Amino acid sequence: MSNQSNEKQADPTDTAAFAVLAGISTATISTTLMKNGLRNVWIRGARDMQAQGGGRLVGRAFTLRFIPGREDLSTPESLASPYSTRGAIEEMPAGCIAVVDAMGITDVGIVGDILCARMRQRGVTALVSDGAIRDIAGVRRTGLPVWCSGVAAPPSVAGLAFVGWQQPIGCGGVAVLPGDIIVADEDGAVVIPAAFLETVLATAPDTEQMESWVLDQVNAGRRLIGLYPPNQQAADEYASWQKSQPGNRRGGE
Amino acid sequence: MSNQSNEKQADPTDTAAFAVLAGISTATISTTLMKNGLRNVWIRGARDMQAQGGGRLVGRAFTLRFIPGREDLSTPESLASPYSTRGAIEEMPAGCIAVVDAMGITDVGIVGDILCARMRQRGVTALVSDGAIRDIAGVRRTGLPVWCSGVAAPPSVAGLAFVGWQQPIGCGGVAVLPGDIIVADEDGAVVIPAAFLETVLATAPDTEQMESWVLDQVNAGRRLIGLYPPNQQAADEYASWQKSQPGNRRGGE
Amino acid sequence: MSNQSNEKQADPTDTAAFAVLAGISTATISTTLMKNGLRNVWIRGARDMQAQGGGRLVGRAFTLRFIPGREDLSTPESLASPYSTRGAIEEMPAGCIAVVDAMGITDVGIVGDILCARMRQRGVTALVSDGAIRDIAGVRRTGLPVWCSGVAAPPSVAGLAFVGWQQPIGCGGVAVLPGDIIVADEDGAVVIPAAFLETVLATAPDTEQMESWVLDQVNAGRRLIGLYPPNQQAADEYASWQKSQPGNRRGGE
Amino acid sequence: MSNQSNEKQADPTDTAAFAVLAGISTATISTTLMKNGLRNVWIRGARDMQAQGGGRLVGRAFTLRFIPGREDLSTPESLASPYSTRGAIEEMPAGCIAVVDAMGITDVGIVGDILCARMRQRGVTALVSDGAIRDIAGVRRTGLPVWCSGVAAPPSVAGLAFVGWQQPIGCGGVAVLPGDIIVADEDGAVVIPAAFLETVLATAPDTEQMESWVLDQVNAGRRLIGLYPPNQQAADEYASWQKSQPGNRRGGE
Amino acid sequence: MSNQSNEKQADPTDTAAFAVLAGISTATISTTLMKNGLRNVWIRGARDMQAQGGGRLVGRAFTLRFIPGREDLSTPESLASPYSTRGAIEEMPAGCIAVVDAMGITDVGIVGDILCARMRQRGVTALVSDGAIRDIAGVRRTGLPVWCSGVAAPPSVAGLAFVGWQQPIGCGGVAVLPGDIIVADEDGAVVIPAAFLETVLATAPDTEQMESWVLDQVNAGRRLIGLYPPNQQAADEYASWQKSQPGNRRGGE
Amino acid sequence: MSNQSNEKQADPTDTAAFAVLAGISTATISTTLMKNGLRNVWIRGARDMQAQGGGRLVGRAFTLRFIPGREDLSTPESLASPYSTRGAIEEMPAGCIAVVDAMGITDVGIVGDILCARMRQRGVTALVSDGAIRDIAGVRRTGLPVWCSGVAAPPSVAGLAFVGWQQPIGCGGVAVLPGDIIVADEDGAVVIPAAFLETVLATAPDTEQMESWVLDQVNAGRRLIGLYPPNQQAADEYASWQKSQPGNRRGGE
């Protein structure tokens, strides 16, 4: 059985929280975090390789770290070491999102079809990186969702050296710690620091619902001034509307 | 009614001119402007977010200007100011193309679905920027055509401060003045300085038709030398062919 | 007849070799070249303009070289010179891949629909460049496969000056000599130096087949450690499996 | 008399405040602003062209704005317009620091010796830009202190178009409003938003004095932990020392 | 004798012309070329490695060309080939300026002390490149003036492959043809296309003298408007002054 | 006493080896490493902040690692943590070279005068980074030699978060492991992987001496071809000369 080493079960609290987050855009999450003092949470260069129409994915960050390649470190032989990308993948819990610090090096592929297939087997939710992947045709066949900088044919050892996992990393100009929450959709991937999860859950669904109401108003022909952001009158209008809704929080259901 | 504040009618001269321009590729317009001394008219980094198959759009530039963000200027509260992107949008005339100087900052979104929906309501033809948009899924639903650098989840205030509209701006390395003509297609967006509109209208349709004839010749197996650009013999051939055509200017009909 | 000047026939040895290469991904070719000491063979910035689903193309490099534009050199008149892109195209043998050094300048188009149509007529297999193309809609209609940095409306003479063909060039940070072999697929384009062709043919098909077997193992739930790269036991398993296959080399048939 | 048009006298409050700021490093000012929520106040790319040993200069920002050049706007003739860099310089009050938004374009010179000589004549304190200057030998002879990205021989009109003065600008990735306070030393130039001047004056001199005491402690062999930043014991020690000093604030005298 | 192979004498016309050019700043030459339609003549990234106080040097361009390195081409052995930088240096005529296209690669040194010493021996006037040099301490001892992007310790073969000399090249974003005239001073290096030499000689000295007169006027307290560029009255004043001068052209004596 | 916690003595083998290395330029070391298969050993962006005339320094790497800043991690309070740059400095052994991975972020200063003073107190040989330092005037007064990207006024916490020491890092595009040997001179800083030290010591001094002999030959007027690299005859000449020298290895004495 493929997942016998992967017995760790998802935290039920996470499961509930992530269901809520799956209903909130990364745009709204970014706004919420900014209102709480965090301006740098969006991973530059990690774009949705599935292109238009993809859904939104949520998971705890499992981090991998590369440094620039050096011919004595970056050898085909190094790939056989337990202390390699292979070793890291075998430690990934189901439901995590693998976040890979490629130091912005985009001319080698950090992983290809085989490693992505194994991540998929282990129940990894997605791969996010500021680096590139290789064998995109094969990776697509594995079904593993990927957000990254693009494609590159050469193997990682042509330009990178792997140094470890579950360390703090930088990815696309953003700090990511193991266990932070990653949310990724068509706008890219954002990091919710673990300590901010409660705050986001407490306020982002309301923001999402309010923006949905505002959009309806705009589509009905209403002007932006006083509406978005809402002045007192618009806020009252929204509150009335919200109370009239059967379920009070769109994002939460 | 949504457009009651937008009573300004399109200039009928513009309407006729823009119908001609809609038949001329930005490639041909660039060549025409270069022959008239302008080498720097293509907006770098503004790509067609609708991807393959889109049409060509034409409009007068309505400019918006951002500067880099500063925490005391770039606040969620600043969005409620009349002197904000909201205020700018409410001033946009129908048929204009909004051109946004984001100073090449591509890690925040200058607008999202709500603002794009309002621009659409006001009859804005398209949005062009060297910056990014946010909530691409929502923006796509509004139907507003967008040429920009890509997507980014964070709000504009996470990295930009809005400073005004209808000023001269730089966008993607190109100078754009309010009232210049913007033409955008799959090759991106080019600026026709207002004073050069007549020149472009006078010569670009012929170039377009000539290139169409050249392409037919090439597809019939003819060599490039002497044909493109045409030597005297080829020019004569083209002139004969052109006279034989029912309407004399392909681009103009 | 369009190809009368193009009588040169493809080398039958090349034909056989290229059929093998068409079955091997650029990822595997990169790995093979790296094991033979070449880390810098992937052309940065040359992406598949046909997007998802394209096949793999192989050909000898026919090189073109630009330098930065200068107003006295980069004139519309210069295009009529026999020593121009036009002249170069008329020298291209059928089956070659045109590789164009645009010095990384991506804000002008090196060629448009007419030149691509003529290349197609002459039997050119593909165009590869670190520069941009113009009139993408028209180029797409010609059917010429293109790997490049993107699109740009302005003509080459707005920013580049053509200086010759069949010289050694740099393209996307990689050295390309006339006659080197180019292989391009969804991961981009790689260069096989002519002297390394035999080496690649001798080992890459085995690698490709081995990776295919590894992928099957992974999909069956096997762990990566000891499998990829294979330890002695896995190598033996693979060897047994390989012997049991009707044809011994997948890539070679 | 050269300055007859420049009768505006420096604000005496500014004079006192700037004397204090002249004793505080841009490093300490940056730290102070960060503690008050502003992380983006240092102008990237503006380095001290006088090199080692220069002093510290302080002044209100007088802003100039360029956009990318366009051949119809960026003409030698445009320089004669009253709405030109020349016009801007004749409006500069004595004691100001000219801050020039060159949009990060560093391959033309925004000003040369003649314009710098005139600024010097008008009592301008310094020039700060993310662009380049030209005729560095001549500029050095004028004695005008300059912080900028380097040198470039071509005139501004070879790549920039001037659009106005005393507007909000971006300079080196930082927002600068007319009237903000600029402090420049060997570490570069920082912006103190006008509304933050009091805050900086109230706390930065103490920080500067404390760091001076800490440095003495380190030079006497003390460890960093507990000292910098100071724990309670170290803070008490510093407070005692500070009381024992003849004048209580180093920066203020 | 070291220069026996270097018997070629400087062209006496060149000698006279270059003496004039030595009195004209690269800033003024750039302005003159721009007025004649050339905006792109300043070599980006080539800065004066002798720093402050250096003089101005003039010579015909002798071009060298590198492409990106490839391990099979960029070997220590390749340095022994007659078709190497060594071979190129032995072909350089006395008085030339070596202009090296390093494709903007700045992390290897194109030459070190030994090659610079040999260039000095052969009477080479200067070295100009968009690349880096190595062993700056040794190069300084040779006395060869150098304008380049900086220093880098690794040998050229760690990242570049040499491909030839006296070909058209790009250097710092500028086209340079063999035989073009290079002028370099503290503002960097500019290219005068050979066909423009007469034009520059005919007008630049006057510009230089006029700017000198303008500077004197500014230093005497005169305002810029109407003076620079001069209106009719100022032009008349200058003409009178010029007639009163003992020698009529500063730059020419 | 300041160094009581720093009792670790330098390894006597290192002392002897480093004395040899101090006589060999980073240029020669780079060439030696390249001949042994390592092309990527020079730290990009780390330039000698003491400018012209500095000596050569050698030491074992003591690594520090930053990731991009995040407002919840990068706080003034974080500086008081034992797990901070302060903690790292108190662990540095005398004679080491601190190598700091700033992820190429150059708009904040990684350390200022106080931390450099403490490093100097602890006997640290030098600081090398791809980041910037702050308070350059103060750092210069401490006497600590620094190779870095330049200066920046803001504190590290304005853009970076410190995550640990003595981990493998990337610095200026080069992999550096704790204990690797760093050599820095006017050409910048190179890394000798610990396992390559013997190889460098065994061959680089000879190369250095040979290049010195070649330079003398060139200065005497000899041509490059056959001399550098030496053909058999030149190699024999050098061997004779070398035998005639009183001490056989210049670098070693």
Side-chain angles (χ1 to χ4, degrees):
Chain A
M1 256 181 56
S2 67
N3 287 327
Q4 61 195 159
S5 64
N6 199 11
E7 70 271 44
K8 194 182 160 200
Q9 294 303 309
D11 181 320
T13 314
D14 270 11
T15 305
F18 294 178
V20 175
L21 291 175
I24 305 173
S25 71
T26 57
T28 297
I29 292 171
S30 300
T31 302
T32 305
L33 290 169
M34 190 194 152
K35 289 180 180 169
N36 287 281
L38 302 184
R39 286 170 186 257
N40 186 22
V41 297
W42 179 74
I43 296 178
R44 292 162 193 80
R47 57 193 171 79
D48 183 358
M49 297 299 286
Q50 282 74 41
Q52 299 181 358
R56 186 173 299 121
L57 295 174
V58 187
R60 295 270 174 185
F62 184 99
T63 66
L64 286 82
R65 186 159 85 90
F66 284 97
I67 58 173
R70 208 172 68 187
E71 289 86 345
D72 59 326
L73 303 174
S74 307
T75 59
E77 294 69 35
S78 70
L79 301 175
S81 158
Y83 203 57
S84 66
T85 45
R86 282 75 173 154
I89 289 170
E90 296 298 346
E91 297 295 321
M92 291 179 185
C96 77
I97 291 185
V99 185
V100 185
D101 175 357
M103 287 206 129
I105 292 173
T106 59
D107 52 10
V108 300
I110 53 169
V111 293
D113 59 348
I114 293 174
L115 272 57
C116 287
R118 182 60 186 156
M119 282 189 262
R120 191 69 165 162
Q121 281 276 337
R122 290 189 62 81
V124 169
T125 296
L127 173 69
V128 172
S129 181
D130 56 1
I133 55 167
R134 58 198 303 247
D135 194 5
I136 175 70
V139 169
R140 204 180 292 125
R141 282 192 294 269
T142 69
L144 184 76
V146 176
W147 279 256
C148 73
S149 70
V151 296
S156 65
V157 285
L160 290 168
F162 184 73
V163 290
W165 61 86
Q166 291 296 65
Q167 303 176 12
I169 60 170
C171 186
V174 175
V176 182
L177 307 192
D180 284 342
I181 295 91
I182 306 293
V183 184
D185 61 16
E186 279 192 80
D187 280 5
V190 296
V191 180
I192 304 174
F196 285 71
L197 176 56
E198 284 310 306
T199 302
V200 170
L201 290 171
T203 62
D206 283 332
T207 303
E208 192 82 355
Q209 193 181 33
M210 191 271 283
E211 299 219 334
S212 172
W213 176 82
V214 167
L215 184 59
D216 289 345
Q217 300 292 310
V218 166
N219 283 334
R222 192 160 166 177
R223 291 166 55 92
L224 292 168
I225 312 290
L227 175 69
Y228 183 62
N231 58 16
Q232 191 56 49
Q233 182 197 324
D236 291 347
E237 265 186 81
Y238 167 64
S240 301
W241 172 86
Q242 193 183 28
K243 270 185 225 148
S244 73
Q245 295 302 101
N248 274 357
R249 294 206 326 208
R250 191 184 74 155
E253 26 192 34
Chain B
M1 252 182 59
S2 67
N3 286 329
Q4 64 195 158
S5 64
N6 199 10
E7 70 269 48
K8 193 180 160 202
Q9 295 303 309
D11 180 319
T13 314
D14 270 10
T15 304
F18 294 178
V20 175
L21 291 175
I24 305 173
S25 71
T26 57
T28 297
I29 292 171
S30 301
T31 301
T32 305
L33 289 170
M34 190 194 151
K35 288 181 179 169
N36 287 281
L38 302 185
R39 286 170 186 258
N40 186 21
V41 298
W42 179 75
I43 297 178
R44 291 160 194 81
R47 57 192 172 80
D48 183 359
M49 298 299 287
Q50 282 75 39
Q52 299 181 0
R56 186 173 299 121
L57 295 174
V58 186
R60 295 271 174 183
F62 184 99
T63 66
L64 286 82
R65 187 158 85 91
F66 283 96
I67 58 173
R70 207 170 71 186
E71 289 85 346
D72 59 326
L73 303 174
S74 307
T75 59
E77 293 71 33
S78 70
L79 301 175
S81 158
Y83 203 57
S84 67
T85 44
R86 282 73 174 157
I89 289 170
E90 297 298 345
E91 296 294 321
M92 291 179 185
C96 77
I97 290 185
V99 185
V100 184
D101 175 357
M103 288 205 128
I105 292 173
T106 59
D107 53 9
V108 300
I110 53 169
V111 292
D113 59 348
I114 293 173
L115 272 57
C116 286
R118 181 61 186 155
M119 282 189 263
R120 191 70 165 161
Q121 281 277 336
R122 290 188 62 81
V124 170
T125 295
L127 174 70
V128 172
S129 182
D130 56 2
I133 54 167
R134 59 198 303 247
D135 194 4
I136 175 70
V139 169
R140 203 181 292 126
R141 283 191 295 268
T142 69
L144 184 76
V146 176
W147 279 257
C148 73
S149 70
V151 295
S156 64
V157 285
L160 289 168
F162 183 73
V163 290
W165 61 86
Q166 291 294 67
Q167 303 175 14
I169 60 169
C171 186
V174 175
V176 182
L177 307 192
D180 284 342
I181 294 91
I182 306 293
V183 184
D185 60 18
E186 279 193 80
D187 279 5
V190 296
V191 179
I192 304 174
F196 285 71
L197 177 56
E198 284 310 307
T199 302
V200 170
L201 291 171
T203 62
D206 283 332
T207 303
E208 192 82 354
Q209 192 181 36
M210 190 272 283
E211 299 219 335
S212 173
W213 175 82
V214 167
L215 184 59
D216 288 346
Q217 299 293 310
V218 167
N219 283 334
R222 191 159 167 178
R223 290 165 56 92
L224 292 168
I225 313 289
L227 175 69
Y228 182 62
N231 58 16
Q232 191 56 49
Q233 182 197 323
D236 291 347
E237 265 186 82
Y238 167 64
S240 303
W241 171 87
Q242 194 182 27
K243 270 184 226 148
S244 73
Q245 294 301 102
N248 272 358
R249 293 207 326 208
R250 192 186 73 154
E253 24 190 38
Chain C
M1 256 182 57
S2 66
N3 288 328
Q4 63 196 158
S5 64
N6 198 11
E7 71 271 46
K8 193 180 159 203
Q9 295 304 307
D11 180 318
T13 314
D14 270 9
T15 305
F18 294 179
V20 175
L21 292 175
I24 305 173
S25 71
T26 57
T28 296
I29 292 171
S30 301
T31 301
T32 305
L33 290 170
M34 189 193 151
K35 288 181 180 169
N36 287 281
L38 302 185
R39 286 170 186 258
N40 186 21
V41 298
W42 180 75
I43 296 178
R44 292 161 194 79
R47 57 192 171 80
D48 183 0
M49 297 299 287
Q50 283 74 39
Q52 300 181 359
R56 186 172 300 120
L57 294 174
V58 187
R60 294 271 173 184
F62 184 99
T63 65
L64 287 82
R65 187 160 84 91
F66 283 97
I67 58 173
R70 209 171 69 186
E71 289 86 346
D72 59 326
L73 303 173
S74 307
T75 59
E77 293 70 33
S78 70
L79 301 175
S81 157
Y83 203 56
S84 67
T85 45
R86 281 77 173 152
I89 289 169
E90 296 297 346
E91 296 295 321
M92 291 179 186
C96 77
I97 291 185
V99 185
V100 185
D101 175 358
M103 286 205 130
I105 292 173
T106 59
D107 52 8
V108 300
I110 53 169
V111 293
D113 59 349
I114 293 173
L115 271 57
C116 287
R118 181 61 185 154
M119 282 188 263
R120 190 70 165 161
Q121 280 277 338
R122 290 189 61 81
V124 170
T125 296
L127 173 70
V128 172
S129 182
D130 55 1
I133 54 167
R134 59 198 302 249
D135 193 4
I136 176 71
V139 169
R140 205 181 290 124
R141 282 191 295 269
T142 69
L144 184 76
V146 176
W147 279 256
C148 72
S149 70
V151 295
S156 65
V157 284
L160 290 168
F162 183 73
V163 290
W165 61 88
Q166 290 295 65
Q167 303 175 13
I169 60 168
C171 186
V174 175
V176 182
L177 306 192
D180 285 341
I181 296 90
I182 305 293
V183 184
D185 61 16
E186 280 193 79
D187 280 4
V190 297
V191 180
I192 305 175
F196 285 72
L197 176 57
E198 284 310 307
T199 302
V200 170
L201 290 171
T203 62
D206 283 333
T207 304
E208 192 82 355
Q209 192 182 34
M210 190 271 283
E211 299 218 337
S212 172
W213 174 83
V214 168
L215 184 59
D216 288 345
Q217 300 292 310
V218 166
N219 284 335
R222 192 159 166 180
R223 291 165 56 93
L224 292 168
I225 311 289
L227 176 68
Y228 183 62
N231 57 16
Q232 192 56 50
Q233 183 198 321
D236 291 347
E237 266 185 82
Y238 167 65
S240 302
W241 171 86
Q242 194 183 26
K243 270 183 226 148
S244 73
Q245 295 300 102
N248 272 356
R249 293 206 328 208
R250 192 184 74 156
E253 23 191 36
Chain D
M1 252 183 61
S2 67
N3 287 330
Q4 63 197 158
S5 65
N6 199 10
E7 71 270 46
K8 193 181 157 201
Q9 295 303 309
D11 181 317
T13 313
D14 270 11
T15 304
F18 294 179
V20 174
L21 291 175
I24 304 173
S25 71
T26 57
T28 296
I29 291 171
S30 300
T31 302
T32 305
L33 289 170
M34 189 194 153
K35 288 181 180 169
N36 287 281
L38 302 185
R39 286 170 186 258
N40 187 20
V41 297
W42 179 75
I43 296 177
R44 291 160 195 81
R47 57 192 170 79
D48 183 359
M49 298 298 286
Q50 282 73 41
Q52 299 181 359
R56 187 173 297 120
L57 294 174
V58 186
R60 295 271 174 184
F62 184 99
T63 66
L64 287 82
R65 187 159 86 89
F66 283 96
I67 58 174
R70 208 171 69 187
E71 290 85 346
D72 59 327
L73 303 174
S74 307
T75 59
E77 294 68 36
S78 69
L79 301 174
S81 156
Y83 204 58
S84 67
T85 46
R86 282 74 174 153
I89 288 170
E90 298 297 345
E91 296 296 319
M92 291 179 185
C96 77
I97 291 184
V99 185
V100 185
D101 176 356
M103 287 206 129
I105 292 174
T106 59
D107 53 7
V108 300
I110 52 170
V111 292
D113 59 346
I114 293 173
L115 272 57
C116 286
R118 182 61 186 156
M119 282 189 261
R120 190 70 165 162
Q121 280 277 337
R122 289 189 62 80
V124 170
T125 295
L127 173 71
V128 171
S129 182
D130 56 2
I133 54 167
R134 59 197 303 247
D135 193 5
I136 176 70
V139 169
R140 203 180 292 125
R141 282 192 295 269
T142 69
L144 185 76
V146 176
W147 278 257
C148 72
S149 71
V151 295
S156 64
V157 285
L160 289 169
F162 183 73
V163 289
W165 61 86
Q166 291 293 67
Q167 303 176 12
I169 60 171
C171 186
V174 175
V176 181
L177 307 191
D180 284 342
I181 295 90
I182 305 293
V183 184
D185 61 17
E186 279 192 80
D187 280 5
V190 296
V191 180
I192 305 174
F196 284 72
L197 176 57
E198 283 311 305
T199 302
V200 170
L201 290 171
T203 61
D206 283 332
T207 304
E208 191 83 356
Q209 191 181 35
M210 191 271 282
E211 298 219 335
S212 172
W213 176 82
V214 167
L215 185 59
D216 288 345
Q217 300 291 310
V218 167
N219 283 335
R222 194 160 165 177
R223 290 166 57 92
L224 291 168
I225 312 288
L227 175 68
Y228 182 63
N231 58 15
Q232 192 55 50
Q233 183 197 323
D236 292 347
E237 265 186 81
Y238 167 63
S240 300
W241 172 85
Q242 193 182 28
K243 269 184 226 148
S244 73
Q245 294 302 100
N248 272 358
R249 293 206 328 206
R250 193 184 72 155
E253 25 191 36
Chain E
M1 251 183 62
S2 66
N3 288 329
Q4 63 197 156
S5 64
N6 199 11
E7 70 271 47
K8 192 181 160 201
Q9 295 302 309
D11 180 319
T13 315
D14 270 10
T15 305
F18 294 179
V20 175
L21 291 175
I24 305 174
S25 71
T26 57
T28 295
I29 291 171
S30 301
T31 301
T32 304
L33 289 170
M34 190 195 152
K35 289 181 179 169
N36 287 282
L38 302 185
R39 287 169 186 259
N40 187 20
V41 297
W42 179 75
I43 296 177
R44 291 160 195 80
R47 57 191 171 80
D48 183 0
M49 297 299 286
Q50 283 73 39
Q52 299 182 357
R56 186 173 298 120
L57 295 174
V58 186
R60 294 270 174 186
F62 184 99
T63 65
L64 286 83
R65 187 158 85 92
F66 284 96
I67 59 173
R70 209 171 68 187
E71 290 85 345
D72 59 326
L73 303 173
S74 308
T75 58
E77 294 68 37
S78 70
L79 300 175
S81 157
Y83 204 56
S84 66
T85 45
R86 282 75 174 154
I89 289 170
E90 297 298 344
E91 297 295 320
M92 291 179 186
C96 77
I97 290 184
V99 185
V100 185
D101 176 355
M103 288 206 127
I105 291 174
T106 60
D107 53 8
V108 300
I110 52 169
V111 291
D113 58 348
I114 293 173
L115 272 58
C116 287
R118 182 60 185 157
M119 282 189 261
R120 190 69 165 162
Q121 280 276 337
R122 290 188 62 80
V124 170
T125 295
L127 173 70
V128 171
S129 182
D130 56 2
I133 55 168
R134 59 196 304 247
D135 193 4
I136 175 70
V139 170
R140 203 180 291 124
R141 282 192 295 268
T142 69
L144 184 76
V146 177
W147 278 257
C148 73
S149 71
V151 295
S156 64
V157 285
L160 289 168
F162 183 73
V163 289
W165 60 86
Q166 291 294 67
Q167 303 175 12
I169 59 170
C171 186
V174 174
V176 182
L177 306 192
D180 284 342
I181 295 91
I182 306 292
V183 184
D185 60 17
E186 280 191 78
D187 279 5
V190 297
V191 180
I192 305 174
F196 284 72
L197 177 57
E198 284 310 306
T199 302
V200 170
L201 290 172
T203 61
D206 283 331
T207 305
E208 192 82 356
Q209 191 181 37
M210 190 271 283
E211 298 219 336
S212 172
W213 175 82
V214 167
L215 185 59
D216 288 345
Q217 300 292 308
V218 166
N219 283 334
R222 193 159 165 177
R223 289 166 57 93
L224 292 168
I225 313 288
L227 176 68
Y228 183 62
N231 57 16
Q232 193 55 51
Q233 182 196 324
D236 292 347
E237 263 185 83
Y238 167 64
S240 302
W241 172 85
Q242 194 182 27
K243 270 184 227 149
S244 73
Q245 294 302 102
N248 272 358
R249 293 204 331 204
R250 193 185 72 154
E253 21 190 43
Chain F
M1 256 182 59
S2 66
N3 287 329
Q4 62 196 160
S5 65
N6 199 11
E7 70 270 45
K8 194 183 160 199
Q9 294 304 309
D11 181 318
T13 314
D14 270 12
T15 304
F18 294 0
V20 175
L21 291 175
I24 305 174
S25 71
T26 57
T28 296
I29 292 171
S30 300
T31 301
T32 305
L33 290 170
M34 190 195 153
K35 289 181 179 170
N36 287 282
L38 302 185
R39 287 170 185 258
N40 187 20
V41 298
W42 179 75
I43 296 177
R44 291 160 194 80
R47 57 191 170 81
D48 183 359
M49 297 299 287
Q50 282 73 41
Q52 299 181 358
R56 186 173 298 119
L57 295 174
V58 186
R60 294 271 174 185
F62 184 100
T63 66
L64 286 82
R65 187 159 85 91
F66 284 96
I67 58 173
R70 207 171 70 187
E71 290 86 345
D72 59 326
L73 302 174
S74 306
T75 59
E77 295 69 36
S78 71
L79 301 174
S81 157
Y83 204 56
S84 66
T85 45
R86 282 74 174 156
I89 289 170
E90 297 298 346
E91 296 295 320
M92 291 179 186
C96 77
I97 290 184
V99 185
V100 185
D101 176 356
M103 288 205 128
I105 292 173
T106 60
D107 53 7
V108 300
I110 53 169
V111 292
D113 59 348
I114 292 173
L115 271 58
C116 286
R118 181 61 184 154
M119 281 189 262
R120 190 70 165 162
Q121 280 277 336
R122 290 188 63 80
V124 170
T125 295
L127 173 70
V128 172
S129 182
D130 57 1
I133 54 167
R134 58 197 304 247
D135 194 4
I136 177 70
V139 169
R140 203 180 291 125
R141 282 191 296 269
T142 69
L144 185 76
V146 176
W147 279 257
C148 73
S149 71
V151 295
S156 65
V157 285
L160 290 168
F162 183 73
V163 289
W165 61 86
Q166 291 295 66
Q167 302 175 14
I169 60 170
C171 186
V174 175
V176 182
L177 306 192
D180 285 342
I181 295 90
I182 305 292
V183 184
D185 60 17
E186 280 192 79
D187 279 6
V190 296
V191 180
I192 304 174
F196 285 72
L197 177 57
E198 283 311 306
T199 303
V200 170
L201 290 172
T203 61
D206 283 332
T207 305
E208 191 83 357
Q209 191 181 35
M210 190 271 282
E211 299 220 333
S212 172
W213 176 83
V214 167
L215 185 59
D216 288 346
Q217 299 292 309
V218 166
N219 284 335
R222 194 161 166 177
R223 290 166 56 93
L224 292 168
I225 312 290
L227 175 69
Y228 182 62
N231 57 16
Q232 192 55 51
Q233 183 197 324
D236 292 346
E237 264 186 83
Y238 167 64
S240 301
W241 172 85
Q242 193 182 28
K243 271 184 226 149
S244 73
Q245 295 302 102
N248 273 357
R249 293 209 326 210
R250 192 184 73 156
E253 26 191 35

